[in-house]
Amino acid sequence: MSILNEIVTNRKIQVAEQKELYPTKLLERSIYFNSQPLSLKKYILRPDLSGVIAEFKRKSPSRGIINEFAKPDEVCLLYMQAGASALSVLTESMFFGGSAMDLTIARKFNFCPILRKDFIVDEYQVIEAKSIGADAILLITEILPKKQLSNFSSLAKSLGMQVLFEIHERQSISKLPADAEIIGINSRNLKTFNVSVDHMELLVQLIPKHVVKIAESGIDSPESLLTLKTMGFQGFLIGERFMREPNPGKACEKFISKVKELSSSKTSSGLHD
């Protein structure tokens, strides 16, 4: 069994247990359930921000423990102050060391959009995302059939949330709903977990121009972000690059400052050509 299949199988078991402990009617009593979510799309496109979606995660199947004792309130607040356009919070526990509580804690201390990063396999998780304070959810095309992608997306939108559709392979594009507004291209192979930026460049050319495009995985330097920007990406999901540092928030601040510096110097040199 691949790591992906193992994660999905485990997630289905966990969701079944969650449904018994916290029924949908209980989730709907959350203080966040009637709140108006922020627009991930608008924040990604804001010219005064960086386009960076700064991610909070403690570990991953490919890297093991990254930052086991990081606190979501401290890290995520510093991410926002550093100029991140949005936050991504891992809520899968077994393989990524996250929890729904991590996102709720981040929500209390932040005023920018928060993406629930998880392996969503049941509409219950969409409703749960709203109840814990998420503004957007991730739907991974490789683990969901076309009908579920459409149904989960429609449910999220009815609750005011936006959807980031993640694709890994060319054939997944045909599974996307016609009204998809944000598409993330993950350069990480789900079977080998290897990263290929060339693969990302190939896929981005197949995405409609009006769609907001997010680059995921393999962004290890400000220079690599700017390269991806020239390919047509507008958002950049970065987690491990920050989380492996003793102070992830400070690392994010330095990264974004360098991006702005390089962008300014590039603009200046262009004006003088």
Side-chain angles (χ1 to χ4, degrees):
M1 181 183 288
S2 69
I3 293 176
L4 178 62
N5 289 336
E6 193 177 346
I7 293 173
V8 170
T9 299
N10 179 70
R11 209 68 187 97
K12 288 178 179 178
I13 294 170
Q14 288 180 324
V15 170
E17 293 172 351
Q18 287 290 108
K19 283 182 177 180
E20 292 187 9
L21 293 171
Y22 307 102
T24 299
K25 287 190 178 295
L26 185 60
L27 298 181
E28 291 173 350
R29 295 178 187 173
S30 163
I31 60 171
Y32 299 111
F33 211 79
N34 293 315
S35 63
Q36 181 60 43
L38 296 168
S39 170
L40 176 63
K41 179 180 178 179
K42 286 183 180 178
Y43 271 70
I44 291 297
L45 296 177
R46 273 179 53 171
D48 59 318
L49 294 175
S50 60
V52 169
I53 304 173
E55 187 164 271
F56 180 86
K57 66 177 176 181
R58 296 185 178 88
K59 63 179 184 178
S60 75
S62 59
R63 296 294 184 184
I65 294 173
I66 300 169
N67 196 330
E68 189 174 11
F69 302 108
K71 297 180 179 179
D73 51 344
E74 295 175 0
V75 173
C76 292
L77 178 59
L78 289 172
Y79 277 165
M80 184 185 73
Q81 292 174 340
S85 296
L87 307 174
S88 170
V89 178
L90 260 298
T91 56
E92 195 282 330
S93 59
M94 183 173 289
F95 296 88
F96 291 88
S99 71
M101 184 56 67
D102 285 341
L103 195 148
T104 299
I105 291 172
R107 172 83 289 156
K108 291 178 182 178
F109 292 89
N110 287 277
F111 306 98
C112 63
I114 301 180
L115 169 74
R116 181 186 189 177
K117 183 89 173 287
D118 207 321
F119 296 79
I120 292 180
V121 292
D122 192 294
E123 66 175 21
Y124 175 88
Q125 292 167 284
V126 180
I127 297 169
E128 183 186 39
K130 174 71 172 180
S131 75
I132 62 178
D135 300 287
I137 61 168
L138 179 80
L139 293 181
I140 303 173
T141 57
E142 268 71 18
I143 67 173
L144 294 169
K146 186 173 182 176
K147 187 174 182 180
Q148 278 194 322
L149 284 168
S150 179
N151 290 345
F152 292 173
S153 174
S154 295
L155 176 58
K157 288 183 177 181
S158 73
L159 296 173
M161 296 185 292
Q162 292 184 329
V163 177
L164 168 56
F165 293 96
E166 180 179 294
I167 64 170
H168 293 252
E169 302 296 339
R170 180 173 185 161
Q171 56 267 32
S172 296
I173 297 174
S174 62
K175 295 169 66 176
L176 296 171
D179 60 352
E181 294 183 293
I182 313 172
I183 296 175
I185 299 177
N186 197 325
S187 60
R188 190 179 300 280
N189 186 297
L190 286 172
K191 294 178 181 177
T192 65
F193 278 80
N194 292 328
V195 172
S196 170
V197 177
D198 290 339
H199 183 61
M200 193 183 290
E201 183 177 12
L202 176 66
L203 289 180
V204 75
Q205 297 173 28
L206 305 175
I207 305 299
K209 289 185 178 180
H210 69 277
V211 173
V212 173
K213 303 164 189 69
I214 310 295
E216 303 178 42
S217 297
I219 306 169
D220 56 5
S221 69
E223 290 82 3
S224 62
L225 183 151
L226 292 176
T227 296
L228 289 166
K229 205 167 189 176
T230 63
M231 295 179 192
F233 288 99
Q234 297 132 305
F236 313 90
L237 198 151
I238 308 172
E240 188 180 318
R241 171 67 176 76
F242 303 146
M243 291 300 298
R244 69 188 181 207
E245 300 291 337
N247 187 331
K250 192 67 178 176
C252 180
E253 181 183 13
K254 288 182 179 179
F255 187 99
I256 290 174
S257 293
K258 187 64 175 178
V259 167
K260 290 180 178 179
E261 179 188 324
L262 291 171
S263 296
S264 296
S265 62
K266 189 174 181 180
T267 302
S268 298
S269 63
L271 290 173
H272 292 96
D273 283 346

